Amino acid sequence: MKKLSLMGALAVLSACTSEVSTEAQALGSQKANLSETQRVIVSFRKGADRAKVISAAGGKELLAIHGMNASAVELPVQALSALSKNPAVEFVEEDAPRKLLSQSTPYGIDQVQAPLVWPSATGANRKICIIDSGLYAAHEDHQSGKTITGYPTGWNTDKCHHGTHVAGSIAAVNNTTGVVGVLPNGVNLHIIKVFGDDCAWTYASSLADAANRCVSAGANVISMSLGGATKSRTEETAFNNAWSAGLISVAAAGNDGNNRMSYPASYPSVISVGAVDSNKQIASFSQYNTEVDIAAPGVGVVSTVGAVDNNSLTVAGTTYTGGYITGGARSAGVTGALVNGGLCDSVGAWSGKVVLCQRGTIGFVDKVNNVKAGGGIAAAIYNNVAGGFAGTLGEGVSSTIPAISLSQEDGNAIIAAGGIGQSATEVSQYTQPASGYEAYDGTSMATPHVSAVAALVWSYNTSWTNTRVRAALEKSAQDLGTAGRDNYYGNGLVQAKAALDYAIANP
């Protein structure tokens, strides 16, 4: 377990000595260069008149951080130096960006040994605070077995689907549909929505504010599938305070596949989580460094989302499910005789037909254009290698006919079964909001497994401290990779039953 100490104060920002990450430059400093303003966190000394100090600096308060004498402020760049020297100000630092860490079944539930603990503990007496993009609270897999609260208004909606996916891995109920979470038999959730419907950046100030609100809401575990490359003194203090208040905080190690630190995961008071696949191999995208504590399932994780993306081809009564080729038209269903267009690298006589094309030789947009030019009413492109694929017609390109992708196996099966010449119906329909399920990749997907296991183990005995539970998770993890702790897997794959046994045996 990492030593719980401050990791070194960041330098005070000034007009000539600002520490801005490459990541922040790409998304934040462009605005500063154009408008000569900078978004920062200002930590005030006790008794300071925030409004007066901010106004005198020509700034605008963007967020008063809950539970702290600090604010996120936008102010002129030239005012930074003077503000940092103001006796009412403790320090000024960059308000570093924080982003979602998701890429793209629940095999992970068994992989982390959750069912082995269910006879002993359910998590019903614990509360997990999920800081993310909200939750589609009307989802069929989030309708019973738990109390769900949230902040701010709109927390129970999620057009990004990321937060809903995280919540499903934690607490999708054990019913007759969908998936099962690590805690399907009851856990309380508190949702803090920090990402808007555009799924774009949030900031360290928002995360510090959210962490403090998790504490105020009586949470036991904080789950964060997000991060950024720049550390924040304010943010770190919030998580140190959460630890001191008895909480366990868990965050994604990052998806850049390098050894760069990601925050808040790399603060000592936060458990940093790497991702493994169904074979317990480290994911190629999982960041590795000295702060990675533990690993969990994060590749091809199926969980809940707030939309249904139905892309299918039904031939002679058999339905083959595929993927949406971005830019294709959406349709509740178009029907016509199925024709084999081969590679669809030239225009054929396909009037009123659904055209089956094989991937290869030319781009997807050219294939779809050839189908349309030949009078085809829909294109279904099957892979030229094993498995399915995700495709696009190109940025800003669209078609007036639906276009979907199919696996190589399904394409060959349609032909082998005599589907050519049969009536076929192609559907490409997106419905939102709706109770849907998708497979995502990312340390974002690994994080909720660890958060949920922590709550599951802890629910066995609520008098245990966060120190005892965290130590149990890390010391009982299944060692993978190089013997002992390493920078890729940390202490190893989180194991619920082993952690519970360890916590019981090691007071």
Side-chain angles (χ1 to χ4, degrees):
M1 179 175 171
K2 292 176 288 189
K3 184 178 180 181
L4 295 177
S5 60
L6 291 174
M7 297 173 66
L10 292 179
V12 172
L13 287 175
S14 70
C16 59
T17 61
S18 62
E19 291 185 310
V20 182
S21 68
T22 302
E23 202 167 47
Q25 288 173 343
L27 286 153
S29 296
Q30 182 178 6
K31 180 177 179 181
N33 292 337
L34 294 175
S35 61
E36 298 301 321
T37 63
Q38 178 78 37
R39 179 170 176 144
V40 296
I41 298 175
V42 182
S43 180
F44 297 91
R45 298 190 186 280
K46 187 176 180 179
D49 186 335
R50 289 198 215 188
K52 184 177 179 180
V53 173
I54 294 171
S55 177
K60 175 184 177 183
E61 186 177 56
L62 303 175
L63 174 69
I65 302 176
H66 178 73
M68 285 182 164
N69 197 22
S71 297
V73 177
E74 185 176 55
L75 76 168
V77 170
Q78 63 268 26
L80 285 168
S81 181
L83 182 63
S84 68
K85 298 172 184 176
N86 190 312
V89 173
E90 184 179 6
F91 64 86
V92 181
E93 66 174 351
E94 174 193 355
D95 196 0
R98 295 294 179 257
K99 63 179 180 179
L100 296 171
L101 291 178
S102 170
Q103 299 178 66
S104 123
T105 130
Y107 72 87
I109 306 304
D110 288 320
Q111 196 176 81
V112 302
Q113 298 184 325
L116 299 180
V117 179
W118 292 343
S120 303
T122 66
N125 50 24
R126 299 286 83 184
K127 181 183 286 188
I128 298 178
C129 188
I130 303 174
I131 304 175
D132 212 290
S133 61
L135 169 69
Y136 174 50
H139 197 287
E140 62 188 4
D141 247 335
H142 292 292
Q143 291 308 299
S144 63
K146 53 186 176 286
T147 299
I148 308 177
T149 55
Y151 175 88
T153 300
W155 64 265
N156 53 353
T157 64
D158 180 17
K159 291 187 178 180
C160 299
H161 311 299
H162 190 273
T164 302
H165 197 279
V166 166
S169 291
I170 291 173
V173 299
N174 190 2
N175 52 21
T176 59
T177 60
V179 296
V180 174
V182 173
L183 295 162
N185 302 311
V187 66
N188 300 313
L189 300 180
H190 188 67
I191 310 299
I192 304 287
K193 184 171 184 171
V194 295
F195 294 97
D197 291 343
D198 60 359
C199 314
W201 297 92
T202 191
Y203 291 88
S205 57
S206 298
L207 198 54
D209 181 83
N212 296 335
R213 291 183 185 278
C214 290
V215 176
S216 296
N220 308 107
V221 178
I222 301 175
S223 186
M224 299 168 287
S225 294
L226 45 78
T230 307
K231 67 186 300 186
S232 159
R233 182 176 170 183
T234 305
E235 184 180 70
E236 183 175 15
T237 298
F239 288 107
N240 287 342
N241 291 344
W243 175 265
S244 297
L247 282 73
I248 291 176
S249 299
V250 187
N255 295 331
D256 289 342
N258 56 30
N259 64 355
R260 189 178 68 182
M261 301 293 185
S262 182
Y263 300 93
S266 294
Y267 299 133
S269 58
V270 179
I271 297 176
S272 177
V273 185
V276 298
D277 61 20
S278 58
N279 295 316
K280 302 181 182 179
Q281 296 298 307
I282 195 71
S284 60
F285 55 77
S286 189
Q287 281 172 233
Y288 51 93
N289 51 59
T290 56
E291 300 299 334
V292 174
D293 295 296
I294 209 160
V299 179
V301 175
V302 177
S303 187
T304 55
V305 294
V308 174
D309 195 357
N310 180 14
N311 299 280
S312 64
L313 184 66
T314 301
V315 185
T318 301
T319 298
Y320 303 88
T321 300
Y324 175 56
I325 295 182
T326 304
R330 292 294 193 171
S331 173
V334 294
T335 301
L338 185 67
V339 61
N340 189 349
L343 288 168
C344 294
D345 53 354
S346 61
V347 177
W350 299 323
S351 180
K353 311 287 188 181
V354 175
V355 185
L356 183 67
C357 306
Q358 186 180 37
R359 183 181 185 181
T361 304
I362 61 174
F364 301 135
V365 64
D366 298 315
K367 293 178 187 288
V368 174
N369 285 341
N370 286 342
V371 170
K372 180 182 175 182
I377 58 173
I381 304 174
Y382 68 99
N383 212 350
N384 53 1
V385 295
F389 67 93
T392 179
L393 300 184
E395 185 174 357
V397 179
S398 62
S399 175
T400 57
I401 65 171
I404 69 170
S405 65
L406 297 172
S407 68
Q408 181 185 53
E409 294 80 1
D410 284 349
N412 290 337
I414 291 170
I415 296 171
I420 303 303
Q422 300 288 321
S423 177
T425 299
E426 182 167 310
V427 174
S428 182
Q429 191 170 31
Y430 187 79
T431 305
Q432 179 180 264
S435 296
Y437 302 87
E438 294 286 347
Y440 288 176
D441 298 334
T443 53
S444 277
M445 286 56 258
T447 298
H449 287 84
V450 176
S451 306
V453 167
L456 180 60
V457 171
W458 208 345
S459 69
Y460 179 85
N461 188 332
T462 58
S463 69
W464 288 345
T465 64
N466 56 350
T467 301
R468 183 168 179 171
V469 175
R470 178 172 177 173
L473 297 183
E474 296 178 358
K475 292 182 180 297
S476 68
Q478 182 183 358
D479 192 15
L480 299 172
T482 304
R485 193 216 160 269
D486 64 71
N487 289 350
Y488 290 85
Y489 299 91
N491 292 284
L493 176 64
V494 67
Q495 302 284 273
K497 181 61 167 62
L500 177 59
D501 291 345
Y502 186 95
I504 293 172
N506 294 276

